[in-house]
Amino acid sequence: MSIEWRHRQLPAGDVSLHVVEAGDPYGRPYLFLHGWPESWRTWEGVMAAGAAHARVIALDLPGIGESTGDTGGSKRLLAQVIRDLVRHLDLDDLTLIGHDAGGMIAYSYLRQYDDLSRAIIMNTVIPGVDPWQEVLANPYVWHFGFHTVPALPEALVQGRQAAYFDYFYDVLSADPARITPRSRAAHAAAYTGDAALTAGFDLYRAFTQDALDNLALSLPVDTPTLYVRAEAESGDLAVYERGLREAGVRNLTTAMVPDAGHFAQEEQPARVWRLIHEFASGTGPGT
């Protein structure tokens, strides 16, 4: 099936977002948020699988790829940007899906606003929500600290984006070959300039404030929420589930993507789409 990708630059508050759509423009909308080191293209396989059934929408986060603007990496502010986009596109019956840092943004959106029909958070830990402190103490998550150092990551990674990003794709994937050369090249290109690298590292530099912002969101929420991890990913799914419930996410279910690591959406795009679609349609996990 040939996919028609519709590209637009759209205003959202003080930023300009590169937004990519496919599928039925009047169908049920699914909005995808990428993490690091990714661009909108991390969702290309999932969107291709879903385009026959729905309106699928992805974007480059502000400052990354073809999007412009600066939020300092704050997930609270990024959630505001996404809400501006949701209102601009007049998205009804929306399922918001976020991977990695995009999952942190989806969580902030879920806790701040009440206009989502569903939220899906993938392959991430939420700042301030258990097991946050355990993850911070894990020496294998060394890059969380390194990326917060002012200016140094930019100085060391500039011009070496592909090699640096490849390390994470190779170490965190069940099968690194599933992160294709085309996808790797697209992600590296999205962080070519100094400003784009900073926008990516700022996602980490904001973690301390993100945790404080999340801890201040004390009211429980009942929006149906799916939390997803992958089979080859470290961390006990039950611990993440308990942390989210204790934080006030009451209508929560969980799922595991088989034969995948951290980059599940690229490693198993058809399975990930099926999981998303079944959850949104009421025929999947937790229904």
Side-chain angles (χ1 to χ4, degrees):
M1 172 182 170
S2 177
I3 306 296
E4 177 193 355
W5 301 103
R6 304 185 292 274
H7 295 254
R8 288 191 282 175
Q9 287 293 137
L10 295 175
D14 296 329
V15 310
S16 174
L17 296 176
H18 173 222
V19 178
V20 184
E21 292 192 39
D24 181 357
Y26 302 104
R28 171 184 278 172
Y30 296 78
L31 179 59
F32 298 90
L33 308 178
H34 69 80
W36 186 94
E38 304 162 8
S39 63
W40 81 267
R41 287 188 181 276
T42 197
W43 295 109
E44 194 168 8
V46 175
M47 294 170 72
H53 311 280
R55 180 183 183 185
V56 288
I57 309 162
L59 60 126
D60 289 326
L61 293 177
I64 296 168
E66 296 180 50
S67 292
T68 62
D70 179 13
T71 63
S74 163
K75 311 311 174 292
R76 177 178 60 83
L77 296 180
L78 284 162
Q80 291 178 14
V81 168
I82 300 307
R83 190 170 193 242
D84 286 339
L85 177 65
V86 167
R87 295 169 91 174
H88 182 90
L89 294 175
D90 194 23
L91 299 179
D92 244 352
D93 192 19
L94 174 63
T95 303
L96 180 65
I97 307 101
H99 174 261
D100 188 78
M104 299 176 185
I105 299 166
Y107 177 83
S108 184
Y109 192 114
L110 170 71
R111 299 308 302 269
Q112 290 186 76
Y113 308 114
D114 61 1
D115 57 349
L116 287 182
S117 291
R118 287 152 232 97
I120 300 175
I121 298 168
M122 293 181 55
N123 309 97
T124 195
V125 63
I126 303 301
V129 175
D130 282 345
W132 178 243
Q133 292 301 326
E134 179 184 330
V135 170
L136 290 182
N138 185 344
Y140 292 101
V141 192
W142 57 269
H143 60 289
F144 274 33
F146 173 58
H147 291 174
T148 65
V149 178
L152 182 62
E154 287 91 334
L156 296 179
V157 175
Q158 183 56 267
R160 304 175 184 86
Q161 284 90 331
Y164 188 62
F165 295 175
D166 278 350
Y167 169 83
F168 295 95
Y169 305 140
D170 294 344
V171 168
L172 299 178
S173 300
D175 179 358
R178 294 175 187 159
I179 316 296
T180 66
R182 178 177 176 273
S183 180
R184 293 171 186 241
H187 297 331
Y191 295 83
T192 297
D194 290 340
L197 272 178
T198 294
F201 293 133
D202 278 352
L203 294 169
Y204 294 83
R205 291 172 181 144
F207 279 171
T208 299
Q209 185 60 51
D210 292 337
L212 294 174
D213 290 341
N214 288 337
L215 289 169
L217 299 170
S218 57
L219 293 178
V221 290
D222 291 309
T223 302
T225 302
L226 175 65
Y227 179 78
V228 179
R229 291 191 76 74
E231 188 176 48
E233 195 172 27
S234 63
D236 184 345
L237 179 60
V239 173
Y240 287 84
E241 177 181 7
R242 183 169 64 247
L244 288 166
R245 289 191 187 279
E246 290 175 350
V249 183
R250 297 195 292 201
N251 191 357
L252 177 69
T253 189
T254 63
M256 186 75 74
V257 181
D259 193 22
H262 178 69
F263 300 96
Q265 73 281 6
E266 296 202 44
E267 299 177 63
Q268 295 288 354
R271 281 178 167 169
V272 168
W273 168 252
R274 189 180 315 120
L275 194 66
I276 292 168
H277 182 59
E278 288 176 353
F279 179 71
S281 301
T283 60
T287 61

